[in-house]
Amino acid sequence: MAISPTLSQLSFNLFKRMNLYYTVTVLGLCSLSYFLGSYQRAAPATAAVRAASSLFRKGTCTTMPAGSSLDFKAHHRAEDLVLPNASIFTEARVKHFPPCDIKLSEYTPCEDVERSLKFPRDRLIYRERHCPEKHELIKCRVPAPYGYTTPFRWPASRDMVWYANVPHKWLTVEKAGQNWVRFEGDRFTFPGGGTMFPDGADAYIDEIARLIEVKGGAVRTAIDTGCGVASFGAYLLSRDILTVSFAPKDTHEAQVQFALERGVPALIGVLASNRLPYPSRAFDLAHCSRCLIPWGQFDGLYLIEVDRILRPGGYWILSGPPINWQRHWKGWGRTAEELNSEQSAIEAVAKSLCWKKLNQKGDLAVWQKPTNHIHCNKNRRVFKKPSFCKAQDPDLSWYTKMEACLTPLPEVSDITEIAGGQLARWPERLTVVPPRIASGSLEGVTAEVFRKDTETWKKRMSYYKSLNNELAQPGRYRNFLDMNAYLGGFASALVDDPVWVMNVVPVEAKVNTLGVVYERGLIGMYQSWCEAMSTYPRTYDFIHADSVFTLYEGRCEMEDILLEMDRILRPEGCVIFVDDVDVLVRVKKNTDGMQWDSRLFDHENGPHHRLKLLVAVKQYWTAPSSSPSSSPSQSDS
């Protein structure tokens, strides 16, 4: 009996037949395509193909010979592309900062010689800071001179510097008989001598130590006016005394530059019409060794400024003219009457400031500032000048004119009290709550804030050293700059390392904490980072920039601050930026344009913190050996 097929069976048979037809059709088409393709590859190029090849050759693409490797380099220029609304892409591009001309290898913008000639020579005003206007700012990277070499490591650097780094021999001739500096082969050496200490800085300091207490931590911070090559400050370092040395640019060629290459704290500066960039009551000791400053002139204005920055009970030391003029006046080429008159004027100003002359022995004279102004207030009846300053912040000293008035010390209730509070001896001074904080004079900065900041920096420095292992290598870095120092915690965490730190408190900072930095036994200065620093190129090995760009947002251009950092950073120097992640992304775009190597890291408190770290290293490069205006040669150190 025949069985009729069901609907499902018919459908299945139909599907099988259709599937077979479909498969055969697809195979046929694929085979046809393959044979047609083979035929085209074997056939000569058609006119259309030849035209297309011609177009490619006229562009940036080229034919590739058999066996050659792929070229992954970009061959198109962004400026050749026509994009709609091209301005929206500007932020994404990396701006390139070209090298400057070799003539700018020692460029110091605010102490530029040509610009300075526009200002009065009276009282050396022309040698003060005179910074370029915004339209005058250079947008290039200052080159190191050809042959520049990484400086000797400390302490060897104290006594020798590569000639290629500071190629100036004038001082070796000018000061040949005074043991400042000698030229030997490919380097300069520094015997430690000075105009007034021919037996060396150590012997000179020993003489001072016979007149005042230098050891034992009583003296920690010092300032050397008219420093020469800073041998005085260099040799004080072995006695745990930190000295800020300064001298005007070009009085003696490259003197401050030599000091910095030696690894000694120094700045370009001059006593002229503006206050020095330090707070009141900062230094334990001020020193002048034949520094050629007219101390007795202009109503004693310059001694009045020294009084402002000396702590209560601090010392002023003077050697050279007119001290001991009875012995030296013929050799100095001046008359006895003139030198006697000069010394009398200095003595009169010192008395009017209530200073006490402790001793004069040989070529040294030492005065001491009073510990408070109780007696000084009373003797204003005798000394009509200088009167006490009124209604002026004694710490205000950024482009602040000197005044011929005496900076009043904080009030005390007893003659035995030390105005402003007793300072601990070094090294206890570093961690004891500073008097300015203990007195409550700084808004929002309490003893507890200070202690927490100190502890935080101990941990933070360990984290920094884990990100940059060279930071943990003694001697790898010597000259440090903290661009936004606050309480000096960064420097305090490095106190056991063979380094020195210039702690900058920006004048735009919410709280002026530089006085605290000095009370801790550290050194620093005021600075606005909208302007250049008073220092030579290649001053610092390491720069710390904590929240600097957040502070200066809307005040000045980020690229100008970064180019100034590039100017003062040594080749292969390191920078640690700490800031909001969005800010650091913009910073990185600029540092890429300066050809720095950089990398972002999480904050020590973890990846969820908006603050991040950008660790950057300036590449080693120098100006070429020829063609002063050509681009720098990229080379290994």
Side-chain angles (χ1 to χ4, degrees), residues 457 460-461 464 471 479-486 488-491 494 501-504 529 540-549 565 568-569 574-579 604 612-614:
W457 272 106
R460 186 169 293 164
M461 189 56 64
Y464 282 7
L471 186 57
N479 301 356
F480 280 64
L481 172 67
D482 191 356
M483 295 177 69
N484 190 12
Y486 187 44
F490 174 79
L494 288 166
V501 182
M502 182 62 74
N503 294 279
V504 169
W529 291 115
Y540 294 101
D541 302 296
F542 197 104
I543 298 177
H544 181 240
D546 187 350
S547 304
V548 169
F549 294 99
M565 294 171 71
I568 64 178
L569 186 64
C574 179
V575 181
I576 290 184
F577 301 90
V578 184
D579 224 311
E604 76 232 31
K612 302 294 180 185
L613 276 71
L614 180 67

Side-chain angles (χ1 to χ4, degrees), residues 293-297 303 316 318-329 332 334-351 357 359-367:
I293 295 172
W295 297 113
Q297 296 180 26
L303 275 181
W316 184 57
L318 176 64
S319 66
I323 302 303
N324 204 8
W325 61 265
Q326 296 88 342
R327 178 184 175 186
H328 298 295
W329 67 275
W332 288 339
R334 297 172 64 186
T335 66
E337 292 76 17
E338 181 185 3
L339 288 163
N340 184 38
S341 175
E342 184 179 333
Q343 178 151 354
S344 297
I346 291 173
E347 301 275 10
V349 173
K351 282 183 180 179
K357 190 172 185 180
N359 211 328
Q360 180 172 327
K361 186 176 180 181
D363 297 336
L364 284 167
V366 181
W367 286 263

Side-chain angles (χ1 to χ4, degrees), residues 208-229:
I208 292 174
R210 295 185 191 102
L211 303 179
I212 62 172
E213 184 183 7
V214 172
K215 294 182 179 180
V219 174
R220 168 60 180 174
T221 56
I223 185 166
D224 189 14
T225 57
C227 64
V229 295

Side-chain angles (χ1 to χ4, degrees), residues 160-312:
M160 62 184 73
V161 163
W162 296 114
Y163 168 75
N165 293 8
V166 193
H168 302 291
K169 295 182 183 178
W170 185 83
L171 268 180
T172 64
V173 178
E174 175 71 12
K175 300 294 180 181
Q178 297 172 15
N179 272 339
W180 275 32
V181 57
R182 297 173 184 162
F183 179 65
E184 300 175 357
D186 58 356
R187 67 196 66 182
F188 295 105
T189 59
F190 301 86
T195 307
M196 295 308 301
F197 36 99
D199 296 327
D202 262 335
Y204 179 77
I205 294 168
D206 287 340
E207 287 183 43
I208 292 174
R210 295 185 191 102
L211 303 179
I212 62 172
E213 184 183 7
V214 172
K215 294 182 179 180
V219 174
R220 168 60 180 174
T221 56
I223 185 166
D224 189 14
T225 57
C227 64
V229 295
S231 288
F232 179 70
Y235 280 81
L236 280 176
L237 286 167
S238 63
R239 304 175 194 233
D240 268 344
I241 297 175
L242 266 178
T243 306
V244 175
S245 300
F246 75 88
K249 188 173 185 288
D250 294 329
T251 296
H252 296 304
E253 190 175 27
Q255 55 188 332
V256 169
Q257 193 175 13
F258 275 125
L260 293 164
E261 280 293 313
R262 297 175 73 183
V264 177
L267 289 162
I268 299 170
V270 63
L271 275 166
S273 68
N274 291 323
R275 285 179 169 182
L276 297 173
Y278 315 111
S280 63
R281 314 193 318 269
F283 297 97
D284 301 319
L285 184 150
H287 173 258
C288 162
S289 175
R290 201 168 186 176
C291 60
L292 306 179
I293 295 172
W295 297 113
Q297 296 180 26
F298 314 120
D299 295 322
L301 192 65
Y302 299 144
L303 275 181
I304 290 172
E305 175 62 2
V306 170
D307 179 85
R308 183 186 71 86
I309 61 176
L310 267 184
R311 69 164 173 82

